[in-house]
Amino acid sequence: MGRSGGVGGPDLVDHGPVDHGPVDLKLVDHGLVDLELVDHHCHGLVRRDLTRPEFESMLTEADRPGPPGTTLFDSQIGLALRRWCAPALDLPPHADPETYLERRAELGHAEVHRRLLGASGISTFCVDAGFQPEPLTGAEDLAGFAGGRGLDVVRLERIAERAAVDVLTGQIGVTHLADTVRARLAERTPSTVAVKSVAAYRAGLALPARRPTDREVAAATRTWINEIRGGAAIRLHDPVLHSFLIWCGVEARLPVQIHVGYGDADLDLARGNPLLLTGLLRAIAPTEVAVLLLHCYPFHREAAYLAQVFANVHLDLGLAINNTGRGSIGLIAQALELAPFGKFLFSTDAYALGELFLLGATLFRRGLAAFLADGVDDDAWTAADAARIARLVCADNARRVYALS
Amino acid sequence: MGRSGGVGGPDLVDHGPVDHGPVDLKLVDHGLVDLELVDHHCHGLVRRDLTRPEFESMLTEADRPGPPGTTLFDSQIGLALRRWCAPALDLPPHADPETYLERRAELGHAEVHRRLLGASGISTFCVDAGFQPEPLTGAEDLAGFAGGRGLDVVRLERIAERAAVDVLTGQIGVTHLADTVRARLAERTPSTVAVKSVAAYRAGLALPARRPTDREVAAATRTWINEIRGGAAIRLHDPVLHSFLIWCGVEARLPVQIHVGYGDADLDLARGNPLLLTGLLRAIAPTEVAVLLLHCYPFHREAAYLAQVFANVHLDLGLAINNTGRGSIGLIAQALELAPFGKFLFSTDAYALGELFLLGATLFRRGLAAFLADGVDDDAWTAADAARIARLVCADNARRVYALS
Amino acid sequence: MGRSGGVGGPDLVDHGPVDHGPVDLKLVDHGLVDLELVDHHCHGLVRRDLTRPEFESMLTEADRPGPPGTTLFDSQIGLALRRWCAPALDLPPHADPETYLERRAELGHAEVHRRLLGASGISTFCVDAGFQPEPLTGAEDLAGFAGGRGLDVVRLERIAERAAVDVLTGQIGVTHLADTVRARLAERTPSTVAVKSVAAYRAGLALPARRPTDREVAAATRTWINEIRGGAAIRLHDPVLHSFLIWCGVEARLPVQIHVGYGDADLDLARGNPLLLTGLLRAIAPTEVAVLLLHCYPFHREAAYLAQVFANVHLDLGLAINNTGRGSIGLIAQALELAPFGKFLFSTDAYALGELFLLGATLFRRGLAAFLADGVDDDAWTAADAARIARLVCADNARRVYALS
């Protein structure tokens, strides 16, 4: 994962993802420094240089700057960024925010992204391109920064919203939305490995368990279309339609990623509790199609319970790893209280900033190393067990779920 | 707790519950290696040898095997079993699953249970015999494996369901269900120390706080009986009747055990949140009859809060200790954030497999030792305090609540 | 923070807040032994000596003593009190409860309070005098014990309840309650720095998000007054009125403290989940008036999420620090997973007993030191970062929010 550099000057610096401290020995001992990672859920990178306010706004889930006199760098993610990303830009660890942002501007976004992604050790990226307030890199370009492989995750609500436009423009009738969604999903590209639902942001996760009938879908579509005609935004937010979309993914036998828990200020977090999905998960279970609960914090124990009792349910900590910084060590341990090791996956949920890939990877390696090493030190499991679990969680579970070769 | 063995061969091996590692010193230092345990909530043992799929299905709360290529042994409970149960079968710690299951088959279930229970250090078993998809050992036989004492916990819903059969067969009228339940409870055996409610699995815990009147019970019974006559299973699931049953226990002045939180895939976990019981607990508080919240995970902090603010409310971590393996160290510390030390109890919730008794006991001893020793090391409390707390939690609280001699 | 003492005898003992143990080195290393604290939410002290039952009842949130044979001293807070308060009364650490209470009686409450508050290192006290089942010291007298400064927090419900009395006695009409509340708030003393809502104890936190109109307030007032005339207590418990009161604070541009989560047996804890406030917080956000979520346990992760995503939202752990004793180390770390360091504050929520001030201060210093030192040891942040974060959290955030000079 080192970069080839010139002779002399800052380029000689090794940009490996970790330095040495108490957790570092655990990383080394358990081979987690350079174990390959599959990032089963992330987003593209921004294609331009950023101002400091823009950078800060993309760093966390806050929707505006903190109170006067405060900075979003004074948070776990801010400290983690200074610690782990600064060396990749040839700065000493813990460089202050001003120095970091100056150096970042000096290098330019493309070089920064190349360095950060290259140092992350991520080999495969499953990219949800469904949220793009501005154009971001697609899966292939993104993976190119790391010399890796890019795959696609299709956002279900976008398919439905495109079909709604077709209804609005008279290209299809209101009763054809269901068929149109199914057809679009059938026409997916070969690089599509999963679908994703953002129902948590819209109607919440208390969705109908049973697969809605086409008649029910048509009725809900009619209501929705009328709302849009009445002036509402083209933004799906109907529980029946969200459930229908998830069932479309199941019927196409594509793994279904579902946003759960933690997100930004648009969210009503209480409606993102994964236990609200219990009925739907029970109904999907016999199909054996994989369901992947994303982020889950602060309901990660609840999500892990679901991953234990339903054979097809999996989880990750996604966005929460980055945002909780060093605190992610505790989250990983809690998710692994109940979740079988074959059901827990790595993702960064990185969005726009290359930093979020390196941070997600580094913090995940460190948290997993701490968890595994503590058990080995306590003779609770063997080093061979630890190594096998690490491989499952870092890559093999994702390879199995998404049928990656 | 050692077993008497023959000369030579594997029987010479000491089957004590713990070996030595970082936590072990704490166990030894604080006398927790062989402190007697009262298991205030468990189930019987299976009376036959098991296939691997059968064994795995009884090990965790999952309702079916994991995805192809995974095994339920790759989980905290699987690792803990290999670590702590293998030595009791004369195998090295961390023996692989195949070796473990072969040795288990070789010894036969009776010898295996004798070894595992003998090594657990549990002296008293309070047995809920209310869930028996197949015949399990009763309290006396179970305790016999450990040379201990067996007591009975009566499942309230079974009494009501038997009374429903009496209604259906015309032996009693629909208005007599309440009296019949009370009479059955009054006729209990001398070994009965508590009643138990599984309302969490049925109607959920949002139960009426006030004691239902006999008229309300009769109306609810009528509805229920009509459902059964209409083809439904004889399975109580009415909030009024669940509340009535709990109040029957209270009026009989028997400690009331209530399933809370964690369980298998049949459960709607959100409805098992103990805070839903707040009104009912507030109504019961003046009676001073003990209420025992079982398992509680992931709502153990909520349960501990209830145990702090209501003088008659207690909790355990039951099933969650076994299933979270080494992670149980953290759970015990969290339950003891708010719960007074006089309100926290030990149980295994072991079911069918002798392994679950040894695991529950070993993990509980270790987690409690870690909690107590860390405080002593930090000079937060004294070794004498730690020893007193250990005795309360391991046995004396249960002796007080159930009036055990 | 040492007290000047005579020559010889117990007065020579240093009453500093901490002794030495594993956490203590961290305290010393990171300057947390005597860093000044601003207690942004507390109550007055009782003005008399207490019996043991009275003392125990004020120590925890339990509403009655534990079961026979148990004592509330057998809890985290009881152990912490013996550890940290005994030395301030010239007793050895871990003195038993009887010895402690004897010595307390011997010194008398005034001397005890002078010692405990003097040793706490708290310089500024923001006092909510709204709950006084018996007369307690006001802000000025309280602060006098510590040689500090006392400021006032006005309880919103008391203003409304006084206005209700005015309606009942015919001094104002029912439609004038809104104006009367606003006028009373405008007439506040110069020492008033914040308002506080106890809606969590009354209607719960699922409050209307939008500012209620005066017409809606009048309608709700009419219903309330009729209830009182029908025999109900003068106790506000209407969601519209609670929301109105919070909006009055916002319009007066006073920081709004809101009780969240943990409290005594009067509470329905499930209704105190801060996520229920999401809509209201979203509506208040554009005003930029600070909102302070108090206590929050066991929903502190949820509260920290709100503090991350809404620029004006802050949190503390208040009451939970004292009651969880050494367990508070874990709570602080969890609150700081997501909360920006500029959004987390110190408070004791101490009530009646001087012990709760010293305990709150000592446990907070220790928990914060453990959090910060672990990160420094792991090279996750620098000692300079740790020192800056400590100053923010212990005092500077409160100074900024309440505009303290």
Side-chain angles (χ1 to χ4, degrees):
Chain A
M1 298 191 304
R3 298 180 312 107
S4 60
V7 176
D11 269 328
L12 274 178
V13 175
D14 178 351
H15 301 106
V18 292
D19 277 19
H20 296 286
V23 172
D24 297 307
L25 294 173
K26 301 175 181 178
L27 276 165
V28 174
D29 286 354
H30 294 284
L32 272 155
V33 177
D34 51 15
L35 192 63
E36 192 182 319
L37 291 165
V38 174
D39 186 349
H40 87 109
H41 182 80
C42 61
H43 302 267
L45 293 165
V46 77
R47 297 170 179 278
R48 59 186 175 91
D49 293 330
L50 300 168
T51 64
R52 175 159 180 172
E54 286 173 330
F55 184 87
E56 287 206 17
S57 78
M58 290 173 179
L59 181 60
T60 80
E61 296 303 297
D63 62 342
R64 62 184 78 193
T70 72
T71 157
L72 291 176
F73 276 97
D74 262 337
S75 60
Q76 290 267 16
I77 190 172
L79 296 177
L81 181 145
R82 289 170 45 209
R83 171 64 187 90
W84 299 112
C85 297
L89 307 197
D90 310 326
L91 297 171
H94 312 297
D96 63 72
E98 293 68 30
T99 306
Y100 184 84
L101 292 171
E102 270 169 38
R103 174 67 179 154
R104 195 182 201 278
E106 189 178 291
L107 291 170
H109 66 279
E111 171 63 12
V112 164
H113 287 160
R114 193 178 69 77
R115 291 180 175 218
L116 294 168
L117 272 77
S120 74
I122 302 172
S123 66
T124 306
F125 300 80
C126 302
V127 183
D128 166 15
F131 181 62
Q132 297 226 354
E134 73 172 89
L136 303 178
T137 55
E140 209 173 325
D141 287 352
L142 172 70
F145 283 112
R149 177 186 184 193
L151 299 165
D152 295 310
V153 175
V154 173
R155 198 179 279 212
L156 291 164
E157 288 78 9
R158 285 198 89 190
I159 296 184
E161 288 161 2
R162 278 174 50 211
V165 171
D166 292 348
V167 175
L168 288 162
T169 56
Q171 297 185 48
I172 61 170
V174 77
T175 57
H176 298 129
L177 184 126
D179 281 340
T180 304
V181 167
R182 284 188 284 250
R184 295 266 160 82
L185 216 44
E187 293 158 9
R188 65 186 179 271
T189 63
S191 60
T192 300
V193 293
V195 295
K196 179 187 173 192
S197 166
V198 293
Y201 267 95
R202 309 290 184 84
L205 296 179
L207 301 175
R210 194 176 45 76
R211 183 192 162 293
T213 62
D214 279 15
R215 182 185 292 255
E216 289 166 331
V217 172
T221 304
R222 194 166 283 116
T223 303
W224 182 31
I225 294 293
N226 286 339
E227 285 172 7
I228 301 170
R229 289 198 169 121
I234 304 180
R235 183 179 158 89
L236 180 66
H237 64 105
D238 180 279
V240 168
L241 294 178
H242 285 294
S243 175
F244 161 72
L245 290 171
I246 287 172
W247 278 104
C248 285
V250 170
E251 286 170 5
R253 303 206 66 77
L254 282 166
V256 180
Q257 300 184 346
I258 305 181
H259 180 107
V260 167
Y262 184 41
D264 66 27
D266 271 351
L267 193 71
D268 186 341
L269 186 58
R271 299 197 310 173
N273 187 323
L275 296 182
L276 298 172
L277 288 169
T278 304
L280 180 58
L281 295 175
R282 196 177 284 127
I284 294 174
T287 70
E288 298 185 3
V289 170
V291 174
L292 301 109
L293 308 177
L294 305 179
H295 322 309
C296 301
Y297 183 88
F299 312 114
H300 45 294
R301 281 173 156 161
E302 284 85 343
Y305 156 78
L306 295 168
Q308 187 194 40
V309 300
F310 294 115
N312 60 323
V313 174
H314 305 69
L315 81 151
D316 74 26
L317 288 164
L319 186 56
I321 296 282
N322 264 323
N323 275 270
T324 61
R326 186 167 187 272
S328 59
I329 295 175
L331 304 198
I332 290 170
Q334 288 175 357
L336 292 175
E337 284 166 358
L338 276 195
F341 304 127
K343 302 296 207 67
F344 185 57
L345 282 78
F346 164 72
S347 85
T348 60
D349 195 45
Y351 173 82
L353 305 181
E355 281 81 356
L356 298 173
F357 287 95
L358 178 55
L359 276 185
T362 303
L363 293 168
F364 192 80
R365 288 180 202 277
R366 296 177 68 82
L368 189 62
F371 170 80
L372 294 173
D374 288 355
V376 173
D377 291 350
D378 196 26
D379 194 24
W381 47 75
T382 68
D385 289 322
R388 191 182 66 256
I389 294 166
R391 285 191 304 270
L392 284 172
V393 164
C394 289
D396 288 355
N397 289 336
R399 290 192 183 113
R400 186 190 72 238
V401 167
Y402 300 105
L404 308 181
S405 53
Chain B
M1 299 192 303
R3 297 178 314 105
S4 61
V7 176
D11 269 328
L12 274 179
V13 175
D14 179 351
H15 301 105
V18 291
D19 278 18
H20 295 287
V23 171
D24 298 308
L25 294 172
K26 300 175 181 179
L27 276 166
V28 174
D29 287 353
H30 295 283
L32 272 155
V33 178
D34 51 15
L35 192 63
E36 192 182 320
L37 291 166
V38 174
D39 186 349
H40 87 108
H41 183 80
C42 61
H43 302 268
L45 292 165
V46 78
R47 297 171 178 278
R48 60 186 174 90
D49 293 330
L50 301 168
T51 64
R52 175 159 179 173
E54 286 174 332
F55 184 87
E56 287 206 18
S57 79
M58 289 174 178
L59 181 60
T60 80
E61 296 303 297
D63 62 342
R64 63 184 78 192
T70 73
T71 157
L72 291 176
F73 277 97
D74 262 338
S75 61
Q76 290 267 16
I77 190 172
L79 295 177
L81 181 146
R82 289 170 45 208
R83 171 65 187 89
W84 300 111
C85 298
L89 307 196
D90 310 327
L91 297 171
H94 312 297
D96 63 73
E98 293 68 30
T99 306
Y100 184 85
L101 292 171
E102 270 169 37
R103 174 67 180 155
R104 195 182 200 278
E106 189 178 291
L107 291 170
H109 65 278
E111 171 63 11
V112 165
H113 287 161
R114 194 178 70 77
R115 290 179 175 218
L116 294 169
L117 271 78
S120 73
I122 302 173
S123 66
T124 306
F125 299 79
C126 302
V127 182
D128 167 14
F131 181 63
Q132 298 227 352
E134 72 172 270
L136 302 177
T137 56
E140 210 172 322
D141 287 353
L142 171 70
F145 283 111
R149 177 185 185 194
L151 298 165
D152 294 310
V153 175
V154 173
R155 198 179 278 212
L156 291 164
E157 287 78 8
R158 282 199 91 189
I159 297 184
E161 288 162 1
R162 278 174 51 210
V165 171
D166 293 347
V167 175
L168 289 161
T169 56
Q171 297 185 46
I172 61 169
V174 78
T175 58
H176 297 129
L177 184 127
D179 281 341
T180 304
V181 167
R182 283 189 285 251
R184 296 263 160 83
L185 216 45
E187 293 159 7
R188 64 186 180 271
T189 63
S191 59
T192 300
V193 294
V195 295
K196 179 188 173 191
S197 165
V198 294
Y201 267 95
R202 309 289 184 84
L205 295 180
L207 301 174
R210 193 176 46 76
R211 182 193 163 292
T213 63
D214 279 16
R215 182 185 293 255
E216 289 167 331
V217 173
T221 304
R222 193 165 286 116
T223 303
W224 182 31
I225 295 293
N226 286 339
E227 286 172 6
I228 300 170
R229 288 196 171 122
I234 304 180
R235 183 178 158 91
L236 180 66
H237 63 107
D238 180 279
V240 168
L241 295 177
H242 285 294
S243 175
F244 161 72
L245 290 171
I246 288 172
W247 278 105
C248 285
V250 170
E251 286 169 7
R253 303 206 66 77
L254 282 166
V256 180
Q257 300 184 347
I258 304 180
H259 181 107
V260 167
Y262 185 41
D264 65 28
D266 270 351
L267 193 71
D268 185 342
L269 186 58
R271 301 197 309 174
N273 187 323
L275 296 181
L276 298 172
L277 288 170
T278 304
L280 180 59
L281 295 175
R282 195 177 284 127
I284 294 173
T287 69
E288 299 186 3
V289 171
V291 174
L292 300 110
L293 309 178
L294 306 179
H295 321 310
C296 300
Y297 184 88
F299 311 115
H300 44 293
R301 282 174 156 160
E302 285 83 344
Y305 156 79
L306 294 168
Q308 187 195 40
V309 301
F310 293 115
N312 60 324
V313 174
H314 305 69
L315 81 151
D316 73 27
L317 288 164
L319 185 57
I321 296 283
N322 264 323
N323 276 270
T324 61
R326 186 166 186 274
S328 60
I329 295 174
L331 305 198
I332 290 170
Q334 288 174 358
L336 291 175
E337 284 165 358
L338 275 195
F341 304 128
K343 303 296 207 66
F344 184 57
L345 282 80
F346 164 72
S347 85
T348 61
D349 195 45
Y351 174 82
L353 304 181
E355 280 82 356
L356 299 174
F357 286 95
L358 178 55
L359 275 186
T362 303
L363 293 167
F364 192 80
R365 288 180 201 278
R366 295 176 68 81
L368 189 63
F371 170 79
L372 293 172
D374 288 354
V376 173
D377 291 350
D378 196 25
D379 194 24
W381 47 75
T382 68
D385 289 323
R388 190 181 66 257
I389 294 166
R391 285 191 305 270
L392 284 172
V393 165
C394 289
D396 288 355
N397 289 336
R399 289 192 183 113
R400 185 189 73 238
V401 167
Y402 300 106
L404 308 180
S405 53
Chain C
M1 297 194 304
R3 297 179 314 106
S4 60
V7 175
D11 269 329
L12 273 179
V13 175
D14 178 351
H15 302 104
V18 291
D19 277 19
H20 294 286
V23 172
D24 297 308
L25 294 173
K26 300 175 182 178
L27 276 166
V28 173
D29 286 353
H30 295 283
L32 271 155
V33 177
D34 51 15
L35 192 63
E36 193 182 318
L37 291 167
V38 174
D39 186 349
H40 89 109
H41 183 80
C42 60
H43 303 268
L45 292 165
V46 77
R47 297 170 178 280
R48 59 187 175 90
D49 294 330
L50 301 168
T51 64
R52 174 159 181 173
E54 285 175 331
F55 184 87
E56 286 206 19
S57 79
M58 290 173 179
L59 181 59
T60 81
E61 296 303 296
D63 63 342
R64 63 184 77 194
T70 73
T71 158
L72 291 176
F73 276 98
D74 262 338
S75 61
Q76 290 267 16
I77 190 171
L79 296 177
L81 180 145
R82 288 170 46 209
R83 171 63 187 91
W84 299 112
C85 298
L89 306 196
D90 310 327
L91 297 171
H94 313 296
D96 63 71
E98 293 68 31
T99 306
Y100 183 85
L101 291 171
E102 271 168 38
R103 175 67 179 156
R104 197 181 200 277
E106 189 179 291
L107 290 169
H109 66 278
E111 171 63 11
V112 165
H113 287 162
R114 194 178 69 76
R115 290 180 175 218
L116 294 169
L117 271 77
S120 75
I122 302 172
S123 66
T124 306
F125 299 81
C126 302
V127 183
D128 166 15
F131 181 63
Q132 298 227 353
E134 73 172 272
L136 302 177
T137 56
E140 210 172 324
D141 287 353
L142 171 70
F145 283 111
R149 176 185 184 194
L151 298 165
D152 294 310
V153 175
V154 173
R155 197 179 279 213
L156 290 164
E157 287 78 8
R158 284 199 89 191
I159 297 184
E161 288 162 1
R162 277 175 51 211
V165 172
D166 293 348
V167 175
L168 288 162
T169 56
Q171 297 186 47
I172 61 169
V174 78
T175 58
H176 297 129
L177 185 126
D179 281 341
T180 304
V181 167
R182 283 189 285 251
R184 295 263 160 84
L185 216 45
E187 293 158 10
R188 66 186 179 271
T189 63
S191 59
T192 300
V193 294
V195 295
K196 179 188 174 190
S197 165
V198 293
Y201 267 96
R202 310 289 184 85
L205 296 180
L207 302 175
R210 194 177 46 75
R211 182 192 162 294
T213 63
D214 280 15
R215 182 185 292 254
E216 288 166 332
V217 172
T221 304
R222 193 166 285 117
T223 304
W224 181 32
I225 295 294
N226 285 340
E227 285 172 8
I228 301 170
R229 287 196 171 122
I234 304 179
R235 183 179 158 88
L236 180 65
H237 64 106
D238 180 278
V240 168
L241 295 177
H242 285 293
S243 175
F244 161 72
L245 291 171
I246 287 172
W247 278 104
C248 286
V250 170
E251 286 170 6
R253 303 207 66 77
L254 282 166
V256 180
Q257 300 184 347
I258 304 181
H259 180 108
V260 167
Y262 184 40
D264 65 28
D266 270 351
L267 192 71
D268 185 342
L269 186 59
R271 300 196 310 174
N273 187 323
L275 295 182
L276 297 172
L277 288 170
T278 305
L280 180 58
L281 295 175
R282 195 177 284 127
I284 294 173
T287 70
E288 298 185 3
V289 171
V291 174
L292 300 110
L293 308 177
L294 306 179
H295 322 310
C296 301
Y297 183 88
F299 311 115
H300 45 294
R301 282 174 156 161
E302 284 85 343
Y305 156 78
L306 294 168
Q308 187 195 40
V309 301
F310 293 116
N312 60 324
V313 174
H314 305 69
L315 81 152
D316 73 26
L317 289 164
L319 185 57
I321 296 284
N322 264 323
N323 275 270
T324 60
R326 186 167 186 274
S328 60
I329 294 174
L331 305 198
I332 291 170
Q334 288 174 358
L336 291 175
E337 284 166 358
L338 275 195
F341 305 126
K343 303 297 207 67
F344 184 58
L345 281 79
F346 165 71
S347 84
T348 61
D349 195 45
Y351 173 82
L353 305 181
E355 281 82 355
L356 299 173
F357 287 95
L358 179 55
L359 275 186
T362 303
L363 293 169
F364 192 80
R365 288 180 201 279
R366 295 176 68 81
L368 189 63
F371 170 79
L372 293 172
D374 289 354
V376 173
D377 291 349
D378 195 26
D379 194 25
W381 46 76
T382 68
D385 289 322
R388 190 182 67 256
I389 295 167
R391 286 192 305 269
L392 284 172
V393 164
C394 289
D396 288 356
N397 289 336
R399 290 192 183 113
R400 184 190 73 238
V401 167
Y402 300 105
L404 307 180
S405 53

